[in-house]
Amino acid sequence: MLYDQHKFAEAVDMYTQALKLDNKSGDCYFNRANAYRNQGILDLALDDYSKAIKINPQDAGAMVKKGITLTLYSSKKKSAKAISLFTKALEIEPNNSEAFVKRGGAFKELGQLEEALRDFTTCIEMPTARAKHRAEAYAQRGAIGVMINKLSTAIADLEQAIALNPRKYKH
């Protein structure tokens, strides 16, 4: 509830108290990590995501969020590690649209455009993809289209991104 109200510091305190009672709760580590990440406290978020994954090695959600957090550092080494986490998450949950779009973004960051395009296209074509992930995939694929001078394809992709999520992509 505190997290949903964007009271992230209070949420961290609540999860810390819960972990004093049960330090084997992967969910508490995951939720505290999310609260840390939303405050920009990335190192502590990464530590907690790692603890959640250690407790539950099949926690694809924690792997994806840890990967997303790593990409916030904008370093090639961290992007490569993020790709590894997204790939592991996809082995566990092959239809995880967030993992595809975020792995595509990490590939793009590393200049691996073919791999990025493959992941964005997979997300776009995935019938179970969440609309916000599909919109992000279209936007990212459109940005690559601009980079490689395929403007008509880029425009079509960017229009799809706007249609799916006008609040985020209209400007």
Side-chain angles (χ1 to χ4, degrees), residues 9-86:
E10 293 93 334
V12 165
D13 291 340
M14 182 188 72
Y15 290 119
T16 300
Q17 292 303 314
L19 286 163
K20 287 179 182 176
L21 299 173
D22 177 11
N23 69 351
K24 301 281 189 233
S25 173
D27 288 341
C28 280
Y29 281 114
F30 175 80
N31 291 331
R32 188 172 73 175
N34 287 334
Y36 278 136
R37 184 172 52 89
N38 280 294
Q39 293 179 87
I41 307 171
L42 303 182
D43 289 338
L44 292 177
L46 289 170
D47 288 343
D48 277 0
Y49 288 129
S50 293
K51 289 173 185 171
I53 294 165
K54 185 174 182 178
I55 291 167
N56 180 3
Q58 299 298 304
D59 189 344
M63 291 174 199
V64 170
K65 295 302 184 194
K66 183 177 179 183
I68 291 168
T69 304
L70 285 167
T71 64
L72 297 174
Y73 282 97
S74 296
S75 100
K76 291 187 185 291
K77 184 177 179 183
K78 298 221 187 266
S79 289
K81 175 67 176 161
I83 288 168
S84 174
L85 286 163
F86 297 136

Side-chain angles (χ1 to χ4, degrees), residues 80-150:
K81 175 67 176 161
I83 288 168
S84 174
L85 286 163
F86 297 136
T87 300
K88 176 70 173 161
L90 287 164
E91 290 169 6
I92 297 165
E93 292 181 6
N95 292 319
N96 188 320
S97 59
E98 185 174 29
F100 273 111
V101 77
K102 297 304 183 182
R103 186 175 72 176
F107 278 131
K108 181 179 166 213
E109 178 74 22
L110 293 175
Q112 298 176 17
L113 300 184
E114 286 183 34
E115 292 86 349
L117 288 168
R118 182 192 64 228
D119 278 356
F120 296 141
T121 300
T122 298
C123 180
I124 289 165
E125 294 174 350
M126 189 180 295
T128 58
R130 294 180 63 189
K132 72 178 192 174
H133 300 148
R134 189 174 281 125
E136 184 176 350
Y138 272 118
Q140 291 273 25
R141 195 171 77 173
I144 291 174
V146 170
M147 291 168 59
I148 62 175
N149 207 27
K150 291 192 175 183

